[in-house]
């Protein structure tokens, strides 16, 4: 591990490699911690930090690094948690090269400060050691209660914020375990299950009730929640319906949708050769999961000249053995696998049309990863709840839906984005819910 760390530094750090090495489980924990200190010492403490501007939740990075350098790990952890209760998760799964680290002034001429490694070290230590301390710090009961539909990143953040403010909070989760995309969408080799378990323990300590295996929009509806005395409802149900292309063959037995496959890959026999349609982050996760599940050859197909996944995820997928082919547009799927037509690309690789040439690719399984949209169960069962043309919930500037007292944030509002974007929306929604319930002043 340390040898790889030093090699990364000597090599000038291929994109994100140093950060990923630092975030791996390290047997040499004390020695690795010293090198994280070394990384913190490179921070210039900019007066106008671009790193903070690059973070969707504006993490006070220079201040946190200063606390860390002063060995005030407790204050650094509390600052990160107060700003972003999902800090420990974001440190691992965020697209840092496009956000904080991508904006670091040090990266203009050399290596950026790998704040993600510093954040992970601080946040994991803080959350593991301070669960009870966080719970004790919550306000006295204020007599208000809130229902949270969905236990993904947005739902967990809202639950934490409201519980700390003294609200009685109940989470309703359709699946057997809480976590949403953290549990069922991000593979455990990227995000170990212990992270979600730490949040479950925190929620229990905060007195949050969790009703798993409970669907809202089925036997229970949003109207039932309002009837039973919840003063406000938050919807954070994510985007779990795979977007289809409407092409022939997507209902065949040798086809899966990526978002469904990741929920329980062990139940899917994909064979030795896999074609992945799409080149986003979900597609990279699918490819890497299939390789770990026994596939010998996995190829991702892009219909243009590039990828939409982060550079780190592409690098890791290729390192794991996945191949990427460009300029192929899928037309249909048959018994042999996907049938493509050559894409017509402009000088910068943008898709501009289809050529006449057809190309058949042979594989055991085809997995489609072409984005997701929210499910419409709540729309069909809640009078007055409205959606945009894209199928996401309509909300106002206060994150309230078209139903009074019902708020929403995360992918169900924005469409599929990252964990930190869900946190950004959830913080705004939680503040609005507290104002709505007159717990804080407007």
């Amino acid at each position: 591990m340390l040898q790889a760390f030093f090699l990364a530094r000597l090599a000038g750090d291929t994109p994100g490699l140093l950060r990923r090495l630092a975030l791996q489980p390290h047997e040499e924990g004390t020695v690795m911690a010293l090198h994280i200190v070394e990384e913190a010492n490179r921070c210039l403490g900019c007066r106008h930090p671009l790193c903070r501007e690059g973070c969707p939740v504006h993490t006070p990075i220079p201040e946190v690094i200063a606390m860390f350098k002063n060995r005030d790990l407790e204050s650094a952890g509390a600052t990160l948690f107060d700003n972003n209760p999902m800090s420990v998760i974001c440190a691992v799964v965020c697209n840092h090269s496009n956000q904080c680290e991508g904006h670091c002034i040090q990266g203009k001429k050399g290596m950026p400060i790998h704040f993600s490694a510093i954040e992970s070290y601080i946040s994991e230590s803080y959350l593991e050691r301070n669960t009870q301390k966080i719970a004790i710090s919550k306000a006295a009961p204020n007599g208000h209660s809130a229902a949270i539909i969905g236990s993904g990143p947005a739902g967990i953040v809202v639950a934490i914020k409201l519980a700390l403010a003294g609200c009685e909070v109940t989470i309703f989760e359709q699946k057997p375990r809480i976590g949403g995309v953290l549990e069922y969408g991000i593979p455990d080799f990227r995000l170990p299950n212990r992270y979600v378990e730490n949040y479950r323990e925190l929620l229990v300590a905060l007195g949050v009730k969790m009703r798993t295996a409970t669907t809202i929009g089925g036997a229970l509806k949003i109207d039932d929640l309002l009837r039973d005395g919840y003063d406000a409802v938050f919807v954070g149900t994510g985007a779990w319906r795979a977007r289809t292309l409407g092409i022939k063959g997507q209902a065949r037995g040798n086809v899966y949708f990526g978002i469904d496959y990741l929920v329980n890959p062990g139940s899917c026999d994909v064979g030795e050769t896999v074609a992945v349609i799409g080149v986003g982050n979900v597609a990279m996760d699918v490819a890497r999961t299939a390789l770990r599940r026994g596939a010998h050859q996995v190829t991702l197909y892009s219909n243009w000249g590039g990828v939409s996944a982060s550079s780190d995820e592409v690098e890791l997928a290729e390192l794991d053995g996945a191949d990427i082919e460009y300029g192929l547009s899928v037309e249909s799927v048959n018994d042999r696998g996907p049938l493509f037509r050559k894409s017509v690309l402009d000088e910068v690789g943008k898709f501009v049309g289809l050529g006449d040439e057809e190309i058949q690719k042979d594989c055991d399984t085809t997995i489609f990863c072409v984005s997701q949209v929210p499910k419409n169960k709540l729309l069909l069962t809640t009078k007055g709840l409205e959606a945009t043309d894209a199928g996401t919930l309509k909300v106002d500037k206060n994150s309230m839906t078209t139903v009074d007292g019902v708020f929403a944030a995360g992918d169900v509002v924005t469409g599929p984005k990252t964990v930190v974007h869900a946190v950004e929306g959830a913080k705004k929604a939680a503040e609005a819910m507290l104002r709505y319930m007159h717990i804080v002043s407007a």
Side-chain angles (χ1 to χ4, degrees):
M1 175 64 190
L2 284 176
Q3 181 182 12
F5 187 93
F6 289 123
L7 286 173
R9 291 299 297 267
L10 291 171
D13 183 28
T14 58
L17 179 58
L18 180 60
R19 171 176 62 80
R20 290 193 302 277
L21 289 171
L23 294 183
Q24 291 176 9
H26 14 90
E27 295 80 4
E28 311 90 341
T30 302
V31 179
M32 184 57 68
L34 293 176
H35 287 283
I36 293 174
V37 172
E38 178 185 307
E39 193 68 12
N41 286 335
R42 294 200 304 117
C43 178
L44 300 176
C46 302
R47 292 180 62 186
H48 303 289
L50 298 178
C51 54
R52 184 165 57 197
E53 293 179 17
C55 174
V57 293
H58 307 295
T59 300
I61 294 172
E63 292 89 339
V64 169
I65 289 180
M67 295 173 192
F68 178 73
K69 289 165 66 174
N70 289 330
R71 305 300 190 267
D72 191 357
L73 207 65
E74 187 77 7
S75 295
T79 299
L80 286 170
F81 183 84
D82 290 345
N83 179 68
N84 175 6
M86 283 275 140
S87 176
V88 66
I89 302 286
C90 290
V92 178
V93 303
C94 261
N95 184 1
H96 303 95
S97 59
N98 282 354
Q99 294 171 356
C100 56
E101 294 173 11
H103 286 73
C104 176
I105 195 69
Q106 291 277 48
K108 302 296 182 182
K109 294 183 179 180
M111 283 193 301
I113 307 302
H114 291 88
F115 178 68
S116 49
I118 300 168
E119 181 181 26
S120 179
Y121 186 87
I122 296 170
S123 293
E124 188 164 357
S125 173
Y126 179 78
L127 191 59
E128 288 180 350
R129 297 179 183 180
N130 291 279
T131 296
Q132 293 303 321
K133 183 176 180 180
I134 295 169
I136 293 172
S137 72
K138 72 177 184 178
N142 56 39
H144 292 280
S145 63
I148 312 293
I149 306 173
S151 65
I156 290 175
V157 168
V158 171
I160 290 172
K161 291 291 188 181
L162 297 187
L164 286 172
C167 296
E168 182 180 326
V169 179
T170 301
I171 292 175
F172 295 87
E173 170 55 53
Q174 182 179 15
K175 292 183 171 63
R177 298 186 299 277
I178 70 160
V181 70
L182 306 176
E183 178 74 21
Y184 294 99
I186 301 176
D188 58 6
F189 57 81
R190 279 188 62 206
L191 185 70
N193 294 333
R194 72 175 186 275
Y195 286 94
V196 176
E197 178 60 22
N198 286 342
Y199 279 101
R200 190 196 67 79
E201 292 174 1
L202 175 60
L203 292 168
V204 169
L206 286 169
V208 175
K209 298 180 178 67
M210 288 169 273
R211 283 189 60 172
T212 54
T214 302
T215 300
I216 303 300
L220 290 175
K221 302 176 177 60
I222 286 179
D223 289 343
D224 297 320
L225 302 180
L226 297 172
R227 177 204 64 197
D228 285 355
Y230 292 102
D231 300 302
V233 174
F234 175 78
V235 179
T237 47
W240 286 95
R241 173 173 289 178
R243 188 185 296 277
T244 65
L245 297 178
I247 62 175
K248 184 178 180 180
Q250 284 194 286
R252 300 185 69 88
N254 59 342
V255 174
Y256 289 100
F257 293 110
I259 191 70
D260 300 327
Y261 172 71
L262 289 174
V263 169
N264 189 6
S267 68
C268 306
D269 182 8
V270 297
E272 295 187 353
T273 57
V274 177
V276 179
I277 310 301
V279 283
N281 286 330
V282 170
M284 300 301 155
D285 283 346
V286 165
R288 298 179 67 198
T289 299
L291 287 163
R292 282 166 168 74
R293 291 283 175 176
H296 294 164
Q297 180 181 343
V298 176
T299 305
L300 299 104
Y301 294 94
S302 169
N303 70 341
W304 58 297
V307 299
S308 52
S310 69
S311 58
D312 283 1
E313 296 309 314
V314 174
E315 184 182 356
L316 287 167
E318 291 180 328
L319 186 65
D320 281 355
D323 297 315
I324 304 176
E325 292 193 24
Y326 301 92
L328 293 176
S329 296
V330 66
E331 289 280 289
S332 62
V333 181
N334 53 41
D335 282 339
R336 293 174 57 187
L339 179 66
F340 295 93
R341 284 175 67 184
K342 272 278 192 180
S343 303
V344 177
L345 308 179
D346 64 13
E347 62 277 4
V348 295
K350 184 179 179 181
F351 176 88
V352 294
L354 292 172
D356 296 327
E357 182 183 358
E358 290 189 341
I359 300 173
Q360 176 71 55
K361 296 290 185 178
D362 293 335
C363 66
D364 295 316
T365 301
T366 301
I367 304 179
F368 284 85
C369 305
V370 289
S371 194
Q372 304 88 242
V373 296
K375 293 184 176 181
N376 63 356
K377 189 181 291 291
L378 293 178
L379 289 167
L380 296 176
T381 59
T382 309
K383 184 178 180 180
L385 192 63
E386 297 179 10
T388 67
D389 291 340
T392 55
L393 290 184
K394 287 183 179 180
V395 295
D396 62 16
K397 64 181 181 180
N398 293 313
S399 303
M400 190 186 290
T401 68
T402 51
V403 175
D404 185 58
V406 178
F407 299 78
D411 288 0
V412 74
V413 171
T414 63
K417 284 196 171 184
T418 64
V419 172
V420 71
H421 287 102
V423 173
E424 179 186 24
K427 287 176 62 179
K428 179 181 176 182
E431 291 166 2
M433 292 172 75
L434 292 173
R435 292 194 299 270
Y436 177 82
M437 292 185 284
H438 303 293
I439 297 168
V440 299
S441 58

